[in-house]
Every structure is written in structure tokens, then in C-alpha cells.
Amino acid sequence: MQKGAALKRLLCVAFVAGITLTVPGTPVYADRVYIRDTLYVPLRGGQGQEYRILHRGLRSGTALTRLEDNPETGYSLVRMEDGLEGWIQTQYISLEPVAALKLAATISERDALKSQYDELQARVQQTMAVREQLSEDNDRLAQEQAGLSRELQRISELAADTISIDQQNQSLVSEQEDLNQQIDRLMIETAALESSENQEWFLTGGGVVLLGLLFGFLFGRKIYHRRGSGW
């Protein structure tokens, strides 16, 4: 008898539990909800004001996980971040973050965008500085190129003058060689003339000497004859 009664009680509990799980209006949730713009909302142990308060101070913007929603009682079963579960009036929760959280998110997004803007501005300034530096380098290189072009032109002109001077030097060297040959020829001719003149002077001198001797001989002989006839 006791076993039969226990079995009946177990079947009744299972039946009631099955009915409870299949009753419409108590679906199972697991979505993200937030406390509305209310300062504090109590978390209770059941669906009503008479149930024990598990947490007295759920602040506005507190993130919760909704597990169940009962439209008939106006309560929802939620779980806090630390794992505490309890019932809270559905009117105090929202699927969207409260204005304070939205404002904080907006401010954070604004700060992130401002940071990105400042970074882009810094990059733009850096790019402009690099461009100005490149422009200055380009102008400097253009001036250096112009200077090198002028120097190359001057060197080309000097090279042309050098070639002309070299050609003139070669011409002068050739003329000098011709003059040296003429001088050598004139020296040879002069030496030959001097030798010929010396020979002529020698012959002339010899002739004069012979004439002097002959004249002396004849003159002496004439004097001798005069003396001989006078004696």
C-alpha cells in the first residue's frame, strides 16, 4: 500500500510538472535585457510582491539574461552576471540599453572616431611635410642639375679649346721641325761657304806670297844687275 501511494504521488508530481512546462504564456527565454531608466529594481524569489527579495538594488542599465517571461503575472525570470537568478517585473526591463548606456556608447564611439580623425590628421600633416621636403629636394636637385649642365658645357668648351690648342701645338711643332731642318740646312750651307771662303783666302794669300816672292826676286835681280854694271 505504501509503495502504491508513493508511486501515485510521484506520478502526480510528474503530471503537474509536465503541465507546468507546457502551460502557454511561460516560454523559456535566453535573450539579453536591461533594467529600464529606474533607479533601483528589486529581484524577488517569485512572481509577486509577497515573495522574498533576493536583491534590492538593480541599478538602471544593469545587464541581465532573461530565462522566462510570464505575461499573465507581468514577471520575468532573469539571471545576473554573478549567476544569481530571480523574478523581476517585466515593465522594468528592456531589450535596448538605457539612455545612459547609449550615451556612454555614443561617447566612446565619438572618442574612437575622434582618435581616428586625429590620427588621420597627423598622417596628413606628416604626408604634407614629406611632400614639402620632397619638393624642396626636387628644387635642390634641379638647381644642382642646372649647375652640372653649366659645368658640363664649360668643360665641353674647354675640351674643344684644348683640342684646338693641341692642333695648333701640333702645327707649331711641325713648323718648328721645318724651321729646324731649314736651320740645319743653312748651317751646313754656311759651313760649306765658310770652308770655300777659307780656301779662297788661302789661295789668295798663297798667290800674294808667290807674287811677293817673285817681285822680290825680280827686284833683287834688277838691283844686282845695276850694281854689276856700275862696278
Side-chain angles (χ1 to χ4, degrees), residues 64-110:
L64 303 171
T65 301
R66 182 165 56 179
L67 304 177
E68 294 183 21
D69 183 19
N70 191 346
E72 294 182 358
T73 61
Y75 278 82
S76 295
L77 179 63
V78 297
R79 180 188 297 127
M80 297 179 59
E81 296 291 341
D82 59 2
L84 179 62
E85 296 182 3
W87 294 88
I88 192 172
Q89 291 184 7
T90 306
Q91 62 178 341
Y92 294 134
I93 62 177
S94 171
L95 293 175
E96 296 292 332
V98 295
L101 294 179
K102 291 182 179 180
L103 179 60
T106 302
I107 293 175
S108 178
E109 184 178 0
R110 183 201 63 184

Side-chain angles (χ1 to χ4, degrees), residues 6-223:
L7 181 59
K8 288 181 179 180
R9 285 196 298 271
L10 181 60
L11 291 174
C12 289
V13 171
F15 178 74
V16 171
I19 293 175
T20 302
L21 293 175
T22 57
V23 171
T26 58
V28 178
Y29 288 86
D31 52 358
R32 196 71 161 177
V33 293
Y34 299 88
I35 298 297
R36 289 184 180 274
D37 294 331
T38 304
L39 185 58
Y40 291 103
V41 177
L43 182 68
R44 297 182 179 274
Q47 304 181 54
Q49 299 290 335
E50 68 276 10
Y51 289 94
R52 183 171 61 91
I53 296 177
L54 303 178
H55 195 291
R56 292 183 179 276
L58 295 180
R59 296 177 62 88
S60 300
T62 302
L64 303 171
T65 301
R66 182 165 56 179
L67 304 177
E68 294 183 21
D69 183 19
N70 191 346
E72 294 182 358
T73 61
Y75 278 82
S76 295
L77 179 63
V78 297
R79 180 188 297 127
M80 297 179 59
E81 296 291 341
D82 59 2
L84 179 62
E85 296 182 3
W87 294 88
I88 192 172
Q89 291 184 7
T90 306
Q91 62 178 341
Y92 294 134
I93 62 177
S94 171
L95 293 175
E96 296 292 332
V98 295
L101 294 179
K102 291 182 179 180
L103 179 60
T106 302
I107 293 175
S108 178
E109 184 178 0
R110 183 201 63 184
D111 293 340
L113 291 175
K114 186 176 183 302
S115 178
Q116 293 179 3
Y117 174 79
D118 293 339
E119 183 179 357
L120 289 176
Q121 283 292 103
R123 290 183 180 179
V124 169
Q125 294 295 332
Q126 184 179 4
T127 302
M128 292 179 63
V130 171
R131 186 183 66 179
E132 291 178 358
Q133 183 64 38
L134 290 176
S135 179
E136 293 177 358
D137 293 341
N138 188 26
D139 294 339
R140 179 176 56 81
L141 290 175
Q143 294 177 359
E144 291 180 358
Q145 183 179 6
L148 291 175
S149 297
R150 290 192 297 269
E151 184 67 17
L152 179 61
Q153 181 66 26
R154 188 180 67 83
I155 292 174
S156 299
E157 293 175 355
L158 290 176
D161 293 340
T162 302
I163 294 173
S164 177
I165 292 172
D166 184 66
Q167 292 176 352
Q168 293 177 4
N169 288 335
Q170 291 180 0
S171 177
L172 291 174
V173 169
S174 178
E175 292 178 359
Q176 184 178 4
E177 290 179 354
D178 293 338
L179 290 175
N180 289 333
Q181 292 177 0
Q182 293 178 8
I183 290 171
D184 292 338
R185 186 171 62 253
L186 290 174
M187 290 179 66
I188 293 172
E189 293 177 356
T190 301
L193 290 174
E194 289 179 353
S195 177
S196 177
E197 289 178 356
N198 290 332
Q199 290 178 0
E200 289 179 357
W201 279 105
F202 179 75
L203 293 176
T204 303
V208 170
V209 171
L210 289 176
L211 289 175
L213 291 175
L214 181 59
F215 179 76
F217 175 75
L218 293 175
F219 183 74
R221 188 175 180 182
K222 185 176 181 181
I223 293 175

